[in-house]
Amino acid sequence: MATGFFRRFTKRFFLIINSIFCGAFLLACLVPLLNPVSWWWMGFLGIMLPYLALALVLWILFWWVLKPKLSLLSIVCLLIGYKQIGVLIAMNAPSSFEATKNNPNTIRIANWNVRSFLGISTNKEKQRLSRTEIADALKRVNADVLCLQEFNHSYTKSYINNLALFSSTFPYSYFSKDFKRDGGTYASGCIIFSKYPIIDTGKTKYPGKFAESIIYADVVKGPDTIRVYTTHLLSFRFNNADYEGIDKVKDDPESIAASKNIIRKMKRAFTGRGAQADIAKKEISSSPYPSVLTGDFNDVPNSYTYFTLKGVRKDAFLQQGLGIGRTYISLAPTLRIDYILPDRVFDVIQFDMIDEDLSDHLLLVADLQLKK
């Protein structure tokens, strides 16, 4: 009798724990539908979704061994959340990126957060060298259009004359100049470089003191005009003290002071990006031309930001990539926060993610072709 009671208790206990994971996963699946301006706390669940999905897979294996029919609980939940899982993992055949452009009908677009050309070293001498190394890396990918975030330039200081690094290869450009100092002689923000003529440009500023903007450039390639957008959405703005706080929370979950500061910054970022995503969606929906949206969204695929901006667009990574596709090298192995999202009138011919070890973000490259 004691053995029977123990078995029933154990089964019920594990089933309750499994149900809690299922509930958390299904709640996380609602994240793309709820604007974080009002539902900011759901953003935490969005970040956790890959881990919740993995937990359900482990629960399936667990019950499959002990009582197969109980594995249906997790299976049904995963089927319900297939759209959210579908944007996490690219399942294409492994392939190598062809650096040589053999098809004249394609346009190659590169996107990279260049981290103010500082590189990832704390050594001042290496930081000075990183600007030319970053420029050389971008030239090697042989892109037609570059979309860069955290680009900076000085009109008076030669060691920050970053426009000159690209002007000979890319004669056309549009710079957002979101942040200025030194009487306007120094500026930073997003920039679009192009080998092809740019016939029009535009900028929509996001509200807020530290906000940037979404910009576009109308690029003419042969008979086609393509509108290229790029943007840099609000980040968590973690500093070294915050990263130390995150480590402290990992070691001591009851570290209240560190937790409060981290949560405060994350709340501000979640709500800010929700508002920015709505503004950017309105802007890109007004394009009179086939368009490509690029940028550092600072948000994961299972987020309101991503689903709002992607809409019916293609995701170049999902079309031709493989795996989870991490684009940000800090904090967690599941942070895909940088994107190339073309209209559905484009075919994604090939795609690559390159770690040049020169930024905390990976360089994205995609060859796109307009359907005729």
Side-chain angles (χ1 to χ4, degrees), residues 210-241:
F210 299 108
E212 298 184 46
S213 55
I214 179 170
I215 63 174
Y216 72 81
D218 291 339
V219 176
V220 177
K221 182 181 185 299
D224 302 313
T225 300
I226 298 168
R227 178 163 291 186
V228 179
Y229 291 95
T230 197
T231 190
H232 186 199
L233 301 186
L234 193 63
S235 72
F236 292 129
R237 297 182 68 85
F238 287 153
N239 53 33
N240 290 335

Side-chain angles (χ1 to χ4, degrees), residues 100-108 144 196 221-224 367-370 372:
T100 303
K101 292 183 293 183
N102 297 315
N103 187 343
N105 296 318
T106 62
I107 183 168
R108 179 168 294 177
D144 300 309
Y196 300 113
K221 182 181 185 299
D224 302 313
D367 283 356
L368 309 176
Q369 183 175 350
L370 269 173
K372 298 296 185 179

Side-chain angles (χ1 to χ4, degrees), residues 40-49 262-263 266-267 270:
W40 63 270
W41 56 273
M42 290 287 286
F44 295 101
L45 281 175
I47 294 173
M48 289 299 299
L49 186 129
I262 293 166
I263 291 173
M266 293 182 77
K267 175 185 177 180
F270 287 140

